[in-house]
Amino acid sequence: MSSEPTSTKPNPPERSDSSSSSSETQEIHNPVPIRPRLPNRKSSGTLIVPRDSSQVGPVEPELEPDDVRAMSPRRTSEDIEVMGREAREELHKHARALQDSLLMIFNRIEAVREEHDKLDNHNKFLQKYIGDLMSTSKITSSTRGRK
């Protein structure tokens, strides 16, 4: 029987110093990920097509019904023309409303200007009237003082 106790715990990893090998440091760090390889592409072939070929010109793609491109709205020239006409009508209505509003503001300014001129004339008349009253009251008061 030995006097040393036996332990069932594993020994903790020892720290490596600068003299240790690089294989021990590889175990501590995560491995470097490897990029997946790109799939090989097929050659697009020649882009030169004879002028008389049926391949010249736009090719209509065949789209499945559930393809997003098939669900996008396609506008014909008539649709675009109608949309343009409606936009022009809306712009015309908006411009007309702005012109009417401007005309109302102009008319209101003219009415206020006329009212101002009228009140200004009344004010001048009253000032002249009061001045005349003051001058006549001075004349009458000075003639009474002499008697």
Side-chain angles (χ1 to χ4, degrees):
M1 302 220 163
S2 69
S3 62
E4 295 178 332
T6 58
S7 68
T8 57
K9 293 182 186 176
N11 292 335
E14 294 180 21
R15 292 188 180 192
S16 62
D17 56 28
S18 61
S19 63
S20 65
S21 68
S22 65
S23 64
E24 291 177 15
T25 58
Q26 287 279 342
E27 294 173 11
I28 294 174
H29 298 292
N30 291 334
V32 177
I34 301 172
R35 282 188 166 178
R37 292 187 161 263
L38 292 174
N40 291 335
R41 295 184 184 177
K42 293 180 180 178
S43 172
S44 60
T46 181
L47 298 177
I48 301 171
V49 179
R51 185 180 298 232
D52 301 333
S53 174
S54 63
Q55 295 177 349
V56 175
V59 178
E60 291 293 324
E62 295 181 21
L63 305 173
E64 296 180 17
D66 60 342
D67 191 350
V68 174
R69 293 173 293 172
M71 290 186 251
S72 66
R74 306 280 182 189
R75 293 189 174 104
T76 63
S77 60
E78 293 86 24
D79 293 340
I80 293 172
E81 199 172 303
V82 168
M83 288 173 56
R85 193 175 319 116
E86 289 173 354
R88 281 190 295 276
E89 288 174 7
E90 281 296 317
L91 269 173
H92 184 70
K93 287 179 186 176
H94 187 66
R96 191 74 192 147
L98 288 174
Q99 287 175 344
D100 292 343
S101 169
L102 186 63
L103 186 61
M104 286 175 41
I105 292 170
F106 179 75
N107 290 337
R108 177 72 179 131
I109 288 171
E110 285 297 315
V112 168
R113 183 177 290 143
E114 288 174 7
E115 183 71 20
H116 173 267
D117 290 344
K118 186 172 96 174
L119 291 173
D120 193 40
N121 287 337
H122 283 288
N123 192 17
K124 286 178 183 176
F125 173 76
L126 288 173
Q127 285 176 349
K128 185 176 184 299
Y129 180 73
I130 291 170
D132 289 345
L133 284 177
M134 296 293 279
S135 66
T136 56
S137 67
K138 287 180 184 176
I139 294 172
T140 55
S141 66
S142 64
T143 56
R144 285 186 192 166
R146 288 185 184 168
K147 290 183 183 177

